[in-house]
Amino acid sequence: MQYTPATTLSEPVSENNRIPALDILRGVALLGILLMNIPEFSLPRRYSEAFRSDTGDINFWVRVVVLTLFEGKIRALFSIIFGAGILLFIANKSGPPKAITGLFYRRMFWLVLFGLADAHLLLWSGDILYHYGIIGMIAFLFRKMKPKYLIWAIPVVAIAEFALQTSFYQDVRQKRIDYVSVHKTLQPHQTPTAKQKKILADWHEIEQDFQLNEKEVMENTRVMKSSYSAIAQEIRKESWKSQTVYLLYGIWDPLALMLLGMGLFKWGFVTNKCTNRQYRITAVIGYGLGLPLVIYELYYGYLYAPNLEASFRLMEQQSVPWVNLIYQVQRIALVLAHTSLIMLVLRAGWLQGLFKRLTALGRMAFTNYIMQTVICTLFFFGYGLNYYNELAYYQVFFVVLAVWCAQLIYSPIWLRYFLFGPLEWLWRSLTYWKIQPMRRSNPRGEE
């Protein structure tokens, strides 16, 4: 796909070259990211254990809705749009290929630094900017690949991840089986052998990693309701481990989704270039396949693994967790269906006011993402309003709704007077190593 007129190497994408559909999808993804992140901002680890199998609890049903429609799908959408954005960034650049490549890697370098600041200064342990900056550098290498090959990244990575997960699962399963065997063999007051002691110790170590420990929850809550320095010590340790030790494990899924995003961009799927029929078929197939699968997946978990002990018993019976294959299929099916539905509603001319606000929100996605960190940490953490572990699971989504409303209101107002969001302006200025214009010469409405 080509977009004209081309910009020079020293200029960012102009307003005329922006694609409203991409901005809208980015805005939707940004709202959804907060929906998924809010429990980690506000609640202690393993918060769902208390209600995950209690159908009489409102929290159970709120969680079911979130898991059915949004969990995994929002992260997938965000990665898809990021991948599409890589191609959009270079689509209209005129200049030597090496210079364009250098410009892109400089852009990703600054994104990595922004991610480090988000994690270690603003104290958001779930930051994605750092990882996206690094993964974006890898995804860029595949920018010239044909769409039909790009989309193969999804099944290849899904199968590879399932194989790795199964290998880990079987290791844990064997330790569980050995533990159960020893536990049945030992008589009361019988002293275990050295081998039996090791088997028991190995399993108890695994249990500590999985089980809900009230003392750990209380300590975690105490820390998060304390001072900036105490919270920083805890968050920085978690973030650093994610950014170093576990970095290699966290690359593949976002990378596959970014490559899918590139393929969908080249096909015109995320830029509103497909036909109504194509979007309708995708939506019907996506919801027709994805919804039954995700509902079955959740029901299977409710029926056979309502708690940790039940999960361990199920593990004894199953050598391969085949049900885990459902996740990748249902989330890709549903994210494509969600995207198709958005495109169809946009084309029908419905909800125009909302779409204009989502466009503004998407154009300021970087600023709004960081603002979500600032707002949530100041609302929940101890050095702010100290609401950490004060609200029920369902109640934290009222905070989400309040932040959504605020961002949908102020984003178009800001863009009425300015060309970019403040952090978008800073990122562009650093990328192009040139101060970008900020204020509009003729303020306009974005209502």
Side-chain angles (χ1 to χ4, degrees), residues 148-407:
K148 63 181 180 180
Y149 299 127
L150 287 168
I151 64 171
W152 272 102
I154 293 294
V156 168
V157 168
I159 293 171
E161 284 193 335
F162 179 74
L164 290 173
Q165 290 170 0
T166 301
S167 176
F168 173 77
Y169 170 90
Q170 290 178 337
D171 180 62
V172 175
R173 178 177 181 266
Q174 188 58 54
K175 289 179 180 178
R176 170 70 179 185
I177 291 173
D178 291 343
Y179 164 79
V180 171
S181 176
V182 169
H183 193 69
K184 289 180 178 179
T185 302
L186 284 174
Q187 299 298 319
H189 309 298
Q190 180 183 350
T191 302
T193 65
K195 182 179 180 181
Q196 289 174 330
K197 283 182 179 179
K198 186 176 188 312
I199 288 172
L200 294 172
D202 286 347
W203 180 252
H204 287 314
E205 185 178 349
I206 290 173
E207 278 188 322
Q208 288 177 357
D209 289 337
F210 286 100
Q211 282 183 335
L212 181 65
N213 187 313
E214 289 297 332
K215 289 184 178 179
E216 288 182 2
V217 171
M218 291 175 63
E219 176 60 18
N220 172 243
T221 300
R222 184 195 66 78
V223 170
M224 300 307 293
K225 295 175 77 68
S226 61
S227 64
Y228 176 89
S229 59
I231 297 172
Q233 186 175 0
E234 181 76 11
I235 295 294
R236 286 169 183 165
K237 183 169 58 177
E238 294 177 11
S239 296
W240 185 247
K241 191 177 293 186
S242 170
Q243 293 164 348
T244 54
V245 177
Y246 299 121
L247 176 62
L248 189 61
Y249 299 97
I251 283 178
W252 308 108
D253 184 72
L255 176 59
L257 290 164
M258 287 182 192
L259 297 184
L260 174 63
M262 289 181 174
L264 295 177
F265 180 86
K266 291 182 177 184
W267 273 335
F269 185 81
V270 292
T271 56
N272 203 14
K273 299 293 183 181
C274 291
T275 65
N276 284 348
R277 183 173 181 273
Q278 289 172 322
Y279 285 126
R280 282 196 296 268
I281 290 174
T282 304
V284 169
I285 294 176
Y287 287 125
L289 177 65
L291 286 177
L293 284 177
V294 71
I295 291 170
Y296 173 78
E297 184 182 19
L298 292 174
Y299 182 69
Y300 182 93
Y302 169 77
L303 198 62
Y304 296 106
N307 53 52
L308 192 61
E309 187 56 37
S311 300
F312 290 147
R313 289 197 300 269
L314 181 64
M315 182 181 289
E316 296 171 34
Q317 302 166 18
Q318 293 186 345
S319 60
V320 178
W322 294 108
V323 72
N324 290 350
L325 283 171
I326 291 176
Y327 177 75
Q328 291 289 1
V329 178
Q330 58 91 353
R331 73 161 180 161
I332 296 300
L334 287 174
V335 74
L336 294 179
H338 289 345
T339 303
S340 297
L341 182 61
I342 291 169
M343 295 298 105
L344 290 170
V345 173
L346 176 63
R347 287 184 173 188
W350 302 336
L351 306 176
Q352 291 187 28
L354 176 61
F355 278 127
K356 286 181 179 180
R357 293 185 180 279
L358 284 171
T359 301
L361 187 74
R363 290 183 57 189
M364 292 179 59
F366 183 21
T367 295
N368 282 315
Y369 177 79
I370 295 297
M371 282 303 301
Q372 289 177 359
T373 297
V374 172
I375 292 169
C376 290
T377 52
L378 289 180
F379 185 83
F380 291 110
F381 291 1
Y383 56 83
L385 296 180
N386 200 22
Y387 272 89
Y388 190 84
N389 204 19
E390 295 289 337
L391 302 178
Y393 173 73
Y394 80 92
Q395 291 174 325
V396 301
F397 294 105
F398 292 120
V399 179
V400 171
L401 183 60
V403 175
W404 282 1
C405 291
Q407 294 191 323

Side-chain angles (χ1 to χ4, degrees), residues 7-11 89-108 140 143-144 430-433:
T7 59
T8 66
L9 188 61
S10 61
E11 294 176 345
F89 178 81
I90 64 175
N92 302 304
K93 295 288 187 294
S94 61
K98 287 185 178 180
I100 295 174
T101 298
L103 192 67
F104 176 80
Y105 278 96
R106 188 193 303 167
R107 177 178 172 83
M108 292 298 101
F140 185 78
R143 66 193 180 278
K144 296 180 181 179
L430 291 170
T431 296
Y432 294 93
W433 213 240

Side-chain angles (χ1 to χ4, degrees), residues 12-81:
V13 175
S14 68
E15 278 193 302
N16 292 335
N17 281 347
R18 295 196 70 93
I19 303 174
L22 269 182
D23 286 330
I24 289 168
L25 291 174
R26 192 179 292 110
V28 170
L30 182 74
L31 295 181
I33 282 290
L34 180 60
L35 190 75
M36 300 312 305
N37 287 344
I38 197 71
E40 194 170 342
F41 277 117
S42 59
L43 297 169
R45 301 181 185 97
R46 305 182 184 94
Y47 60 87
S48 66
E49 289 296 321
F51 57 81
R52 61 182 293 180
S53 59
D54 184 1
T55 57
D57 192 325
I58 186 175
N59 293 301
F60 173 89
W61 293 107
V62 172
R63 183 169 178 267
V64 165
V65 172
V66 171
L67 292 178
T68 300
L69 296 178
F70 305 109
E71 198 281 326
K73 297 82 178 173
I74 295 300
R75 181 163 49 87
L77 179 60
F78 213 88
S79 299
I80 286 169
I81 298 306

